[in-house]
Amino acid sequence: MVAFSAPGADEDLARQLGDVSLVRAAGAAKTPNPQDLFTSARADYARLLGVLYSEGYYSGVITIHIDGKEAADIQPMDAPETIHAIDVSVTPGPRFHFVRAGVTPLAAGTALPADYAEGRIARSGAILDAASAGVARWKEEGHAKATVADKRIVADHRKNTVDSVIVLDPGPVVHFGDLKATGNKKLRTDRLLAIAGFPTGKKYTPERLAEVQTRLRRTGIFSSVTLTEAERLRAGDVLDYDLAVAEDKPRRMGAGAEIGTSDGLALTGYWMNRNLWGGGERLRIDADIKGIGGSNSAGATDYSIGARIDRPATLSPDTSAYVLTKAYKTTEEDYTEWGSQIGGGLTHVFSDRLTGESGTAYIWSKVKDDYGNTIFRQIAFPNSLTWDNRDDKTDAKRGYYGLLRATPFYGLGQTTGSGMQLVADFRAYKALGTEERLVLAGRGQFGAVYGPSLGRTPRSYLFYSGGGGTVRGQPYQSLGVNELYDGQLKTGGMQFIGYTGEARYGLTDKVGVVAFYDAGFISSNDLFGRDGEWQSGAGLGLRYKTPIGPIRLDVAVPVQGSTGGGVQLYLGIGQAF
């Protein structure tokens, strides 16, 4: 019923023309509707012409015949009740090139598109991109009302050239005015404005405006955030804004599960309120149970429960304050530990990628082993920096993640020493190939305790290797150190190094396979010292993508070390790192 041709067009142009044709798509239906065909045919003129202009063809000829009549000549009231044949023909004609490509006036540092230049193909998109780039650069310089004042575009059909000059109107340098907020119901307006941190009185830049939206969105309180600038400037070239927000449901909960052959079943869950007292305070309660049915530590079950409240915009729009408390029980091969802590501090967002945190905490723990009970008490000062530019936190294909945490601590009493724990975690991801099916992922971990002796170091600051978080293929926390205290005690080490390499390949859009190798080193004293020991493991994994992240199944075996043997299985949600 519909015949489509593009005489003189190359393969790529013919494909583009065919793809945008509405009447061609309507004609492919099993039972084409005449009214749909007629409407589509009349709309195709503009769509096909747009493709020609976008590729630099300005003298093309488009004919669309409905049963022999030009569709453009048929009035809507005279639309045919039946249609037997539609013939579409697009003759592109010669390609045009720029004889001049100018933009005036230009702000310093404006980078115009490379395609918008004398001698280049006169694509309409290049003209639009050049106008957008010119306006955007003026706005970056504080001219919020910069606009295109005129476009002088002349096509010479004898020479097949285009003379293009874009005239911009920068307008004055603008400063931010007042912000008027609407839509908030449970969040108080004064707190909404404090969180937004609108830069009243400061010079206009798009970046400052984007920061306001980012601050509001990262609270998780709102389902939508819209900033609208006033149509006109106030006296003194001041620009006011309207902020319209829609609040999301404040409460949220979640759960997770992971199981390993020796680790047993681990269950995690959280409950969160993102606007606790109407000031944007976020309360999050986390709980987990680990080691259910595990073969390590005689099948003992560990648990922890903690609560944390964060208050945004405390000292500045990008600085929040927090308080936290936590209680836990941990069972290792030679001892059991009960602990609790309470503390608080500040979190500062330096950028979308970099976050810092600094705080103070009081930590108490009781360790029971073959030699009795030992009480550890310390004042800790945790500090951390986190860099994260991964494209997807649960299934990254590119980017980097880095965590650096330094925790000085002061021991209280005779049994607890003073010193510092240092922890680092670095991850990198690289997708290969045009379809990015192969992803190489690497992770390096480092940990060390400086200052106290091993016996006077709180157990929670020591390091182990083995299990899903460090070395797959080795039993959970199977590698520590053995120290003599009128006998032998197995405990965590003072130094730790771990690294992991993965090759992830997507067989389909949903299913992927992984090959991996993990290694870990634990020492009671010197890094890479003679008293240290390595262990490693390797294996294969299967991934199935879901909306909440890939389901992970890993099968691993030990490669190096004397800490265990046999096959280890790991099942969870999300990539291993």
Side-chain angles (χ1 to χ4, degrees):
M1 175 175 283
V2 177
F4 190 97
S5 63
D10 61 30
E11 182 179 346
D12 182 62
L13 178 61
R15 178 187 56 78
Q16 291 186 61
L17 291 167
D19 288 345
V20 303
S21 174
L22 295 176
V23 73
R24 187 184 188 189
K30 290 183 178 180
T31 56
N33 183 285
Q35 184 61 44
D36 290 342
L37 289 170
F38 176 70
T39 303
S40 299
R42 288 178 61 87
D44 264 3
Y45 290 103
R47 296 173 65 86
L48 295 170
L49 191 63
V51 172
L52 293 177
Y53 284 1
S54 70
E55 292 300 319
Y57 297 94
Y58 292 90
S59 59
V61 178
I62 301 171
T63 61
I64 303 176
H65 290 155
I66 299 177
D67 291 333
K69 295 181 180 180
E70 190 70 43
D73 296 334
I74 303 174
Q75 297 301 316
M77 297 299 294
D78 298 328
E81 295 183 1
T82 58
I83 296 176
H84 299 94
I86 299 177
D87 293 307
V88 181
S89 176
V90 183
T91 304
R95 214 167 200 175
F96 284 56
H97 292 74
F98 287 116
V99 68
R100 180 168 55 164
V103 181
T104 185
L106 282 177
T110 303
L112 294 177
D115 286 344
Y116 188 70
E118 182 179 341
R120 304 298 291 266
I121 296 172
R123 293 183 170 91
S124 60
I127 299 173
L128 295 175
D129 291 343
S132 297
V135 169
R137 182 59 186 147
W138 277 116
K139 289 189 175 185
E140 290 172 359
E141 292 295 313
H143 299 258
K145 291 296 185 179
T147 186
V148 176
D150 191 17
K151 290 181 182 178
R152 303 167 187 167
I153 303 171
V154 179
D156 188 332
H157 292 267
R158 294 172 300 174
K159 298 180 179 179
N160 301 326
T161 59
V162 170
D163 187 325
S164 173
V165 177
I166 301 169
V167 181
L168 304 180
D169 178 11
V173 173
V174 172
H175 288 75
F176 286 106
D178 297 328
L179 179 66
K180 181 181 178 181
T182 59
N184 55 305
K185 297 179 180 179
K186 296 182 179 180
L187 180 65
R188 299 191 306 273
T189 299
D190 63 320
R191 289 293 298 150
L192 172 60
L193 296 177
I195 294 170
F198 191 74
T200 298
K202 293 185 178 180
K203 180 181 174 181
Y204 170 90
T205 64
E207 291 79 7
R208 286 183 172 138
L209 202 60
E211 288 173 357
V212 172
Q213 294 175 305
T214 299
R215 292 182 189 116
L216 293 169
R217 290 192 176 109
R218 72 183 174 219
T219 64
I221 298 174
F222 309 106
S223 59
S224 69
V225 176
T226 304
L227 278 169
T228 305
E229 67 179 38
E231 292 185 5
R232 297 183 178 181
L233 300 176
R234 280 200 287 118
D237 298 327
V238 173
L239 182 59
D240 296 329
Y241 274 82
D242 289 327
L243 169 64
V245 298
E247 294 180 352
D248 205 347
K249 294 180 180 179
R251 297 172 183 83
R252 176 175 292 184
M253 62 178 60
E258 185 168 346
I259 190 169
T261 306
S262 63
D263 305 14
L265 176 64
L267 301 175
T268 61
Y270 74 88
W271 180 90
M272 181 168 59
N273 188 318
R274 292 174 291 192
N275 188 22
L276 186 61
W277 296 308
E281 304 86 359
R282 181 177 63 188
L283 167 65
R284 176 167 173 146
I285 299 173
D286 288 272
D288 64 68
I289 303 176
K290 299 179 180 179
I292 302 173
S295 60
N296 59 296
S297 301
T301 301
D302 299 336
Y303 64 82
S304 71
I305 184 169
R308 173 168 167 153
I309 297 177
D310 288 83
R311 182 183 186 272
T314 297
L315 296 182
S316 76
D318 294 312
T319 306
S320 61
Y322 72 88
V323 294
L324 61 81
T325 184
K326 182 180 180 181
Y328 64 90
K329 173 195 170 230
T330 301
T331 305
E332 304 301 342
E333 185 173 335
D334 282 357
Y335 71 86
T336 300
E337 179 181 14
W338 296 264
S340 63
Q341 72 175 87
I342 186 171
L346 298 172
T347 302
H348 185 76
V349 178
F350 295 97
S351 69
D352 290 341
R353 299 175 178 179
L354 182 63
T355 303
E357 190 166 286
S358 182
T360 304
Y362 171 77
I363 305 173
W364 176 94
S365 63
K366 181 176 77 171
V367 174
K368 181 180 180 180
D369 54 31
D370 292 340
Y371 307 103
N373 295 329
T374 305
I375 302 296
F376 292 95
R377 295 182 299 124
Q378 71 267 21
I379 302 293
F381 306 93
N383 304 276
S384 65
L385 283 174
T386 303
W387 171 271
D388 191 352
N389 70 343
R390 294 173 294 178
D391 60 331
D392 186 333
K393 289 179 172 56
T394 61
D395 190 12
K397 287 188 175 182
R398 65 186 66 83
Y400 301 91
Y401 171 89
L403 168 67
L404 182 62
R405 184 171 65 242
T407 307
F409 58 92
Y410 179 75
L412 304 175
Q414 297 298 317
T415 58
T416 310
S418 300
M420 182 178 71
Q421 185 204 52
L422 185 64
V423 173
D425 186 352
F426 300 102
R427 310 172 193 180
Y429 309 84
K430 177 67 175 179
L432 302 177
T434 56
E435 296 184 356
E436 298 186 338
R437 288 192 177 275
L438 177 61
V439 177
L440 301 181
R443 181 184 189 184
Q445 300 179 78
F446 169 80
V449 178
Y450 302 100
S453 64
L454 190 149
R456 299 183 67 209
T457 301
R459 294 292 190 265
S460 59
Y461 290 155
L462 300 178
F463 303 96
Y464 292 88
S465 179
T470 50
V471 179
R472 288 163 289 183
Q474 299 285 352
Y476 175 70
Q477 293 193 352
S478 55
L479 181 59
V481 298
N482 295 319
E483 285 293 309
L484 296 177
Y485 299 100
D486 299 326
Q488 186 165 291
L489 173 67
K490 182 178 179 181
T491 185
M494 300 280 279
Q495 310 279 351
F496 164 67
I497 291 177
Y499 62 85
T500 295
E502 287 194 349
R504 306 169 181 172
Y505 187 79
L507 299 174
T508 69
D509 291 340
K510 293 286 188 179
V511 180
V513 293
V514 175
F516 59 86
Y517 179 85
D518 303 343
F521 172 85
I522 295 290
S523 170
S524 63
N525 193 2
D526 297 329
L527 198 62
F528 297 111
R530 293 182 179 180
D531 64 336
E533 184 178 348
W534 282 94
Q535 65 173 190
S536 63
L540 300 173
L542 185 67
R543 304 291 186 266
Y544 182 81
K545 292 186 178 181
T546 70
I548 60 174
I551 297 175
R552 178 179 80 255
L553 172 63
D554 288 334
V555 181
V557 296
V559 175
Q560 177 186 0
S562 58
T563 51
V567 177
Q568 303 284 328
L569 301 178
Y570 305 90
L571 178 64
I573 297 177
Q575 295 285 4
F577 63 93

